[in-house]
Amino acid sequence: MLPLDKIMETETRQCKKCQQSFTLDKDDFSFYKKMDVPAPKVCPDCRFKMRAVFRNERTLYNRNCDLCGHSIISMYNPKSPYTVYCNECWTSDKWDPFSYAMEYNPDEPFFEQLEKLIIKVPKSATYSSSATGPNINSEYANFAGGNKDGYLIFNSGPGNENCAYSRGLIGSKDVYDAYYGDKIENTYEGVSVHKSNGIAWGQNVSDCIDSYFILNCSGCQNCFGCVNLRHKSYYFFNEPLSRDEWLKQVSEISGSFSKTEEVKKKFAEFSLKFPHRSNNNLKVTNCVGDYIFESKNCQNCFELSFCEDMRHSFSVKRAKDCADMIGHCRSSELLFNGVGVGAGSRKIICCWWVESSQDVEYSFATVQSNDCIGCDAVKNGSFVILNKKYNKEEYKKIKDKILKELKDNNTYGDFFPSKLSFFAYNETIGQDNMPLTEKEALEQGFRWEENIQKTEGKGTKKSEEIPDHIKNVPDDFINEVLVCTECSRNYRLIKRELEFYRKMLIPIPRKCWNCRFVDRIHRRGPYKFWKRVCDKCEKEITTNYAPDRPEIVYCENCYQKEVY
């Protein structure tokens, strides 16, 4: 632990995993002192991968509940060693997590004992946060809560209804194929769309209505193929048209797959003519990162909303004074190095899915508990180690032994060892955000899954046989098995999906939902930051546009002058 007189220093270290240098500043040291953990010896990227391999959002498998026997969808590969229960059984009183208690053995490494425990204790088929409400008629939801009629929806809720193939939604309705949005309706293929209705193929959009192929637009209505517009109506590729002419031009394109694909290419080329902001943050103060909204003092963060004093965190909402977090965090503070931790939690260190708890370390799926270390699925627990209850004095004595072992091994403050991960690297958000080859994953100590579940070779309709225009698609088309043009995976439409396409005049997609998801990740941009200079004033900026990318990138001041 650093002495107090060292707290204010900035220090450059070499990552013990990748050997790259990284810098810790005075705010980092102050936070670690507050949490009473050592300053990390692992760089932010490697720390992210260590956590991300524990978060499988959308690689789902068919299996049966090991308690009731019902067929379920699960994030756990059927060949994994875990006992898996459906969500209903897992949250029921049909089993007792304390019945799996293990006596701590000071002669055996702590993580080896924890590994034995997590293999024995039943797992919930998917992550469903009780704090954000139940998922209703939304079996294919994961790391989500408070969704109704959802289908393949991830990291979303509460308040969503009839949303599918999406990630990062809150308070939204009738949304398909979106990534990161709040309070949106009737939206398709959106990336970072907020408080809008009737948007298709939009990115970085706020307060817009009935617009298609728009980028970095705000307060617009009836715009098509537009970039960097504010409070405009009936614009077509940034040119004003009369209402009748605009409707005529748009109607000639809407609903046709071939014409939509032509517009995609045209719009991609058109958008390169305009400057892009160095980041997509809105209403922030002293923040470095991207897709940060209504937050302050957030450094090196990505996809944060309503947060304060955050560091190195991803996909977090309504948190304060936390570092190295992935997901959730709602109404919580003093969280460090966790995945899916939140719902009013405080002082949680190196945990996975801990809610409404405090003073918990190195634990899994622990709820409404305090003073726990090395636990799995504990509910309403106090002074618990390896699911065994102790009195306060016994607890402190054993916990001190565990922490001494971890500190002596220079692993205290690191996330769980990758061998404890429930998932292979390519099953997780690690592969979405910091992709590795199989060789790289194995070299870095992660597993790799060769047989990720998907159906192939059962197609009944080839891509070229799909009607070009949505108006020519019959009702029984939902019975057809389609073939992805990108990966050959089979996929089908659900009934309300076809109804949505008809309402929005969207042609039938030729790619499967998974490939479409990956495309949106590419549109979003990488979870990585570079130093480069503003293409107008040459001021140094931090951005997730790599220096060799073709976009024109401006600093905030130059961009605002250009747009307004």
Side-chain angles (χ1 to χ4, degrees):
M1 207 75 62
L2 288 171
L4 189 61
D5 61 357
K6 295 285 187 179
I7 289 298
M8 301 304 291
E9 294 185 4
T10 296
E11 181 180 335
T12 298
R13 296 186 170 192
Q14 185 179 55
C15 175
K16 66 181 182 181
K17 286 188 172 289
C18 70
Q19 312 309 314
Q20 297 296 311
S21 63
F22 66 101
T23 301
L24 299 171
D25 63 24
K26 60 183 180 181
D27 291 330
D28 291 321
F29 286 122
S30 177
F31 176 79
Y32 303 136
K33 180 70 176 179
K34 191 183 304 183
M35 296 296 291
D36 197 23
V37 295
K41 298 179 177 64
V42 180
C43 71
D45 283 2
C46 287
R47 299 201 305 265
F48 175 84
K49 286 184 281 190
M50 290 172 71
R51 295 189 303 276
V53 75
F54 283 80
R55 189 170 174 111
N56 170 18
E57 291 183 358
R58 59 190 177 84
T59 305
L60 303 179
Y61 298 92
N62 296 108
R63 60 182 298 163
N64 293 324
C65 171
D66 288 319
L67 187 57
C68 70
H70 291 164
S71 177
I72 58 173
I73 299 297
S74 171
M75 59 181 165
Y76 297 95
N77 193 311
K79 68 183 183 183
S80 69
Y82 309 108
T83 299
V84 177
Y85 290 172
C86 67
N87 298 130
E88 184 176 350
C89 286
W90 191 79
T91 56
S92 72
D93 296 328
K94 298 177 182 178
W95 67 286
D96 179 10
F98 293 106
S99 68
Y100 298 89
M102 293 173 51
E103 189 83 32
Y104 172 70
N105 180 0
D107 297 323
E108 183 179 5
F110 167 70
F111 285 127
E112 290 185 12
Q113 296 177 68
L114 182 57
E115 182 177 20
K116 293 176 182 177
L117 178 71
I118 64 175
I119 289 176
K120 293 194 302 181
V121 176
K123 305 287 173 277
S124 177
T126 55
Y127 180 121
S128 178
S129 172
S130 59
T132 51
N135 290 316
I136 301 171
N137 191 32
S138 303
E139 186 180 11
Y140 291 80
N142 194 22
F143 283 87
N147 298 285
K148 180 180 179 183
D149 297 328
Y151 183 72
L152 290 169
I153 182 169
F154 313 105
N155 189 49
S156 293
N160 297 317
E161 182 175 351
N162 189 31
C163 298
Y165 314 124
S166 296
R167 183 185 192 276
L169 300 182
I170 294 179
S172 299
K173 183 177 181 181
D174 296 336
V175 176
Y176 285 67
D177 289 83
Y179 189 102
Y180 200 30
D182 66 282
K183 297 179 181 177
I184 57 178
E185 293 189 29
N186 300 310
T187 295
Y188 178 74
E189 278 295 355
V191 175
S192 189
V193 179
H194 307 276
K195 299 177 182 177
S196 298
N197 193 329
I199 307 300
W201 294 284
Q203 182 166 351
N204 305 330
V205 174
S206 62
D207 302 293
C208 292
I209 299 173
D210 297 334
S211 298
Y212 310 85
F213 292 101
I214 58 174
L215 173 65
N216 302 331
C217 290
S218 176
C220 294
Q221 184 171 348
N222 298 107
C223 290
F224 190 104
C226 294
V227 182
N228 289 348
L229 294 190
R230 301 293 184 268
H231 309 291
K232 302 296 184 183
S233 296
Y234 297 109
Y235 270 61
F236 190 85
F237 283 90
N238 280 43
E239 295 294 331
L241 296 178
S242 68
R243 178 181 181 276
D244 290 344
E245 181 61 24
W246 188 89
L247 291 172
K248 179 177 180 293
Q249 293 263 27
V250 173
S251 67
E252 291 174 354
I253 299 168
S254 298
S256 166
F257 177 77
S258 58
K259 292 182 178 178
T260 296
E261 290 300 296
E262 291 174 6
V263 170
K264 283 183 184 179
K265 295 176 183 177
K266 179 180 177 180
F267 184 65
E269 296 172 358
F270 180 74
S271 65
L272 290 176
K273 300 177 181 179
F274 299 86
H276 292 57
R277 290 176 67 205
S278 58
N279 60 65
N280 300 290
N281 303 335
L282 291 175
K283 299 180 181 179
V284 301
T285 302
N286 188 32
C287 291
V288 176
D290 212 346
Y291 300 101
I292 304 174
F293 296 96
E294 298 190 37
S295 301
K296 64 181 181 179
N297 303 330
C298 298
Q299 304 301 311
N300 298 310
C301 293
F302 208 79
E303 297 177 18
L304 264 64
S305 300
F306 313 109
C307 291
E308 182 178 351
D309 298 328
M310 301 290 293
R311 289 154 290 278
H312 308 296
S313 294
F314 176 85
S315 283
V316 167
K317 296 175 177 65
R318 301 188 184 280
K320 182 179 180 180
D321 209 6
C322 305
D324 289 87
M325 300 302 297
I326 295 179
H328 206 5
C329 291
R330 291 171 176 84
S331 305
S332 300
E333 63 179 341
L334 297 178
L335 310 180
F336 172 60
N337 215 2
V339 175
V341 176
S345 293
R346 190 178 189 277
K347 201 74 181 294
I348 310 296
I349 296 172
C350 299
C351 287
W352 184 89
W353 190 2
V354 171
E355 293 189 325
S356 307
S357 300
Q358 65 181 19
D359 297 306
V360 178
E361 303 189 39
Y362 289 101
S363 294
F364 298 88
T366 297
V367 179
Q368 295 178 338
S369 299
N370 64 275
D371 298 284
C372 299
I373 184 168
C375 293
D376 190 5
V378 165
K379 304 168 189 176
N380 301 310
S382 296
F383 306 111
V384 185
I385 299 174
L386 297 173
N387 285 30
K388 180 178 173 60
K389 299 177 182 179
Y390 294 90
N391 64 39
K392 184 176 181 179
E393 291 72 22
E394 292 172 327
Y395 173 83
K396 185 180 185 307
K397 182 179 179 181
I398 297 174
K399 179 184 174 182
D400 287 346
K401 290 181 180 179
I402 294 171
L403 296 190
K404 183 180 186 305
E405 176 204 326
L406 298 181
K407 291 174 182 178
D408 287 348
N409 293 334
N410 288 319
T411 55
Y412 184 54
D414 291 349
F415 203 59
F416 300 104
S418 58
K419 70 174 184 176
L420 268 63
S421 175
F422 313 124
F423 315 112
Y425 192 83
N426 59 324
E427 292 177 310
T428 71
I429 66 166
Q431 189 67 4
D432 291 333
N433 294 283
M434 295 187 181
L436 302 175
T437 64
E438 178 181 0
K439 182 175 182 292
E440 289 170 335
L442 296 176
E443 287 175 347
Q444 294 180 33
F446 305 118
R447 290 189 294 110
W448 189 268
E449 178 54 54
E450 292 286 354
N451 299 308
I452 290 178
Q453 177 176 300
K454 66 176 182 178
T455 303
E456 293 181 314
K458 295 185 178 180
T460 62
K461 183 77 69 174
K462 296 179 181 178
S463 173
E464 58 269 23
E465 296 172 337
I466 300 174
D468 179 74
H469 204 286
I470 187 62
K471 68 181 180 181
N472 297 322
V473 176
D475 290 345
D476 63 359
F477 192 80
I478 59 174
N479 299 322
E480 301 287 359
V481 179
L482 309 180
V483 182
C484 176
T485 56
E486 184 80 15
C487 72
S488 300
R489 183 182 195 147
N490 292 144
Y491 65 104
R492 302 172 70 159
L493 307 187
I494 58 176
K495 182 180 178 181
R496 60 181 184 268
E497 178 183 2
L498 179 57
E499 293 169 350
F500 175 83
Y501 293 151
R502 287 170 170 168
K503 177 177 71 172
M504 293 285 292
L505 286 177
I506 302 294
I508 301 299
R510 269 52 170 184
K511 292 184 181 181
C512 70
W513 71 270
N514 190 62
C515 286
R516 302 196 308 265
F517 185 97
V518 172
D519 287 346
R520 287 191 294 279
I521 291 285
H522 292 155
R523 287 169 57 197
R524 181 206 68 180
Y527 177 32
K528 187 175 178 63
F529 306 112
W530 288 269
K531 297 289 186 182
R532 59 182 286 176
V533 297
C534 169
D535 286 320
K536 188 164 189 177
C537 73
E538 298 188 351
K539 170 187 174 183
E540 186 178 76
I541 55 177
T542 300
T543 178
N544 77 333
Y545 290 100
D548 59 352
R549 282 183 57 159
E551 291 89 353
I552 302 167
V553 182
Y554 281 7
C555 70
E556 184 68 18
N557 287 339
C558 289
Y559 180 83
Q560 294 298 335
K561 290 176 183 177
E562 179 81 15
V563 172
Y564 292 100

